[in-house]
Amino acid sequence: MARTREFDRDTVLLSAANLFRQRGYRNVSISDLEKSTGLVSGSIYNAFGDKAGLFRAALAHYVDGFVRQRMKVFAGDKARLEELEGLYLSVLEMPLADGHGCLITNSIVEFGREGGVASEGLGEALELVRKGVAGVLERELGAEAAKSETTRLIVLYHGILALSRSSTSFSEMAEMVRAEFSRLRNLRDSAVSA
């Protein structure tokens, strides 16, 4: 009887998520996953079913361990515009500014509306970001203003993450983020003084 190989699930999922983030789902083979995770194909199939199962597990791990945690830090219950601005600026600084973007944004680009293997994880991540951004804006600007500004900031966030894979100047994107949040602080200050 074959012996079950033990492995650190978090380490494997982190390695797989990073590989998928760098190369995309379609451009990663089982052989690539073996090299990246240190698992043999049999262990991958036994633990995750197939490449799609490993991708779904890696995506869920990324959402829980990265996206959810960042939303708590930058858009938690007491976060203000200043903390939310930090979320945007942080993706333009190392180690996040490594040229590979975000697994969520990259998967949105790769799968489009088709979703498929990524549907559940992408939906969860997008909702986490939407709720986090909307929560800060509602506290800082009021419910009415938050409605129009939330979509604007979500588009800005994923636009930055997509463009972080291009030759677009990070300093120019950071300048634009600062200008946008300056505008939002002016809205907040106007509402307070009115």
Side-chain angles (χ1 to χ4, degrees), residues 19-192:
L19 183 62
F20 287 125
R21 181 177 72 89
Q22 291 175 17
R23 296 182 41 201
Y25 175 76
R26 292 181 180 106
N27 293 327
V28 170
S29 68
I30 290 293
S31 175
D32 296 328
L33 289 166
E34 287 179 310
K35 291 174 192 161
S36 175
T37 64
L39 296 179
V40 296
S41 61
S43 295
I44 292 172
Y45 288 110
N46 285 335
F48 302 103
D50 57 9
K51 176 179 140 180
L54 178 52
F55 178 80
R56 281 190 294 275
L59 186 62
H61 188 266
Y62 186 86
V63 170
D64 285 338
F66 186 71
V67 177
R68 188 178 310 281
Q69 296 311 311
R70 287 177 55 77
M71 287 297 106
K72 284 180 185 175
V73 169
F74 293 107
D77 293 340
K78 297 184 193 256
R80 301 191 56 179
L81 287 172
E82 290 75 11
E83 286 81 21
L84 190 59
E85 181 179 17
L87 172 70
Y88 288 71
L89 293 172
S90 71
V91 301
L92 298 170
E93 299 168 354
M94 290 305 286
L96 298 177
D98 64 359
H100 297 296
C102 162
L103 181 58
I104 302 304
T105 304
N106 296 351
S107 295
I108 291 168
V109 171
E110 181 174 7
F111 292 104
R113 292 178 181 255
E114 130 196 7
V117 69
S119 294
E120 187 177 320
L122 293 180
E124 182 181 358
L126 289 171
E127 185 61 13
L128 281 169
V129 172
R130 189 198 66 72
K131 281 184 176 179
V133 169
V136 172
L137 293 176
E138 285 171 10
R139 281 190 300 281
E140 294 284 275
L141 306 178
E144 193 58 37
K147 286 180 187 175
S148 62
E149 298 295 341
T150 297
T151 300
R152 179 185 182 108
L153 284 187
I154 290 170
V155 169
L156 174 63
Y157 185 64
H158 288 289
I160 290 168
L161 288 166
L163 289 174
S164 73
R165 294 187 65 143
S166 74
S167 61
T168 302
S169 165
F170 279 32
S171 61
E172 288 177 10
M173 286 192 284
E175 186 177 313
M176 194 272 314
V177 167
R178 288 185 189 97
E180 179 62 15
F181 276 89
S182 177
R183 183 188 71 80
L184 291 171
R185 282 190 289 278
N186 286 339
L187 282 175
R188 175 186 65 192
D189 296 345
S190 296
V192 168

